[in-house]
Amino acid sequence: MDLRNHDLKEDIREYWSKRSATFDLAFGHRIPQGPELDAWAAAVRDAIGPEPRRVLELACGTGEVTNVLLSLGHEVTALDFSEDMLGVARIKHAGNAKVRFVLADAERTMEPDEAYDAVICRHLVWTLTEPEQALTDWLRVLKPGGRLLVFDGDWTKPTRLGRLAGLAVGLIERFVGHDPYYDGAMSEKHANIMTRLPFSGGLTAERLEPMVQEAGFIEITFPSHRPIAAAQRKNADLRNRLRTRFYRRFVLVASRPVDVASRQVGRSDSFKGPQS
């Protein structure tokens, strides 16, 4: 094992564990009932189909995406490598027989081969220390024809509109005060971790697509993230509505080939980019 990765993983685990108690208070992490839950559910339904599936959820955190999956009737194995995050999720979904929580590393899940219809993660890929290894493992645990669904974004630099939105948020906070639960609450630790990650320069759809293809996935597409962002804005205050404009976010959907020959098909016809 690369000890540099080991140390980095421990720093990542410590960071997210410390955030577990207040993570749901940070805008953009909790998925409330109503328009936002409906938008997330629609994105999942469009990607993996309407029928109940066996789903592996990676880096489940406090179980918010877990709730989306359960609301659609899926059977969920939800893993995270922070016991503190899992503790919150277990309490949230206590008594639900359709979910199994597992303490495990998303890059090496240790789940059986060809066990799942879908692998799903939100805001995980940018934190991977060995993304190629992770993608290979996710392909392995999928059944032939199974789907990978990734929600993520480039969190290293705001868009042009995001920079303007950031200035506006700064002005608002001069009057209402700093939000202690937003991601910047542990910004020094967060920034230190980010500089040591493979995606320290930013995770973009353009950078991720060839890696997904190289791992063996086919039928790579980028559905629009706009419906989720629009739903987040519906019941948010001005500061949080502006925050949905900060970064370029994307959705990636890909499939495991049904047979080995299908792997020669490779990527979709041409990269059209995410419809964010």
Side-chain angles (χ1 to χ4, degrees):
M1 175 184 289
D2 188 331
L3 293 179
R4 292 170 300 175
N5 274 352
H6 175 74
D7 294 339
L8 177 55
K9 279 179 177 286
E10 290 308 309
D11 286 346
I12 295 170
R13 188 201 311 270
E14 179 185 10
Y15 173 79
W16 294 114
S17 294
K18 285 183 176 179
R19 294 201 62 197
S20 61
T22 59
F23 200 49
D24 286 346
L25 299 176
F27 176 75
H29 295 294
R30 193 173 74 86
I31 302 175
Q33 297 283 338
E36 191 170 346
L37 180 62
D38 293 344
W40 282 99
V44 172
R45 229 179 359 253
D46 290 346
I48 70 173
E51 301 84 7
R53 309 282 188 183
R54 191 172 185 212
V55 177
L56 178 63
E57 182 194 355
L58 306 166
C60 68
T62 63
E64 287 296 293
V65 173
T66 313
N67 184 57
V68 175
L69 298 173
L70 292 173
S71 75
L72 293 169
H74 299 304
E75 178 186 340
V76 183
T77 295
L79 64 82
D80 202 284
F81 78 159
S82 166
E83 186 61 66
D84 293 315
M85 284 285 189
L86 286 173
V88 176
R90 287 189 178 109
I91 292 171
K92 193 177 290 184
H93 298 290
N96 193 321
K98 284 201 166 187
V99 61
R100 174 175 71 102
F101 289 103
V102 180
L103 181 66
D105 184 349
E107 295 185 338
R108 290 175 171 81
T109 64
M110 306 300 288
E111 291 295 305
D113 292 355
E114 301 185 3
Y116 293 96
D117 300 299
V119 171
I120 294 176
C121 61
R122 176 180 71 155
H123 303 172
L124 164 68
V125 174
W126 73 271
T127 71
L128 296 175
T129 62
E130 298 176 272
E132 294 88 354
Q133 157 63 36
L135 289 164
T136 299
D137 192 55
W138 302 349
L139 185 82
R140 177 187 63 79
V141 301
L142 277 172
K143 298 175 183 178
R147 292 293 182 88
L148 171 67
L149 173 58
V150 172
F151 299 95
D152 224 302
D154 181 358
W155 316 113
T156 63
K157 48 189 175 295
T159 64
R160 183 180 301 175
L161 178 59
R163 289 193 292 272
L164 295 174
L167 292 173
V169 168
L171 289 174
I172 291 171
E173 292 198 333
R174 290 178 61 182
F175 295 96
V176 303
H178 176 65
D179 178 355
Y181 302 118
Y182 194 61
D183 285 352
M186 296 176 68
S187 58
E188 185 177 343
K189 184 74 170 177
H190 185 282
N192 178 268
I193 289 171
M194 183 169 281
T195 60
R196 296 149 62 198
L197 292 168
F199 292 116
S200 60
L203 173 63
T204 63
E206 293 88 345
R207 186 174 179 192
L208 183 59
E209 187 195 23
M211 297 176 70
V212 172
Q213 179 194 359
E214 183 64 25
F217 288 93
I218 62 171
E219 299 172 345
I220 303 167
T221 60
F222 295 88
S224 177
H225 189 278
R226 289 194 191 101
I228 293 173
Q232 288 177 324
R233 288 192 284 271
K234 282 191 175 179
N235 295 317
D237 61 21
L238 176 58
R239 176 168 57 178
N240 285 333
R241 290 200 302 273
L242 288 166
R243 283 171 171 160
T244 67
R245 309 285 188 180
F246 280 5
Y247 301 106
R248 185 185 181 203
R249 295 181 282 175
F250 63 85
V251 182
L252 178 147
V253 180
S255 300
R256 172 173 171 160
V258 174
D259 54 61
V260 176
S262 298
R263 293 189 184 214
Q264 304 307 313
V265 175
R267 62 188 276 176
S268 51
D269 292 340
S270 62
F271 178 76
K272 298 180 176 63
Q275 306 170 47
S276 59

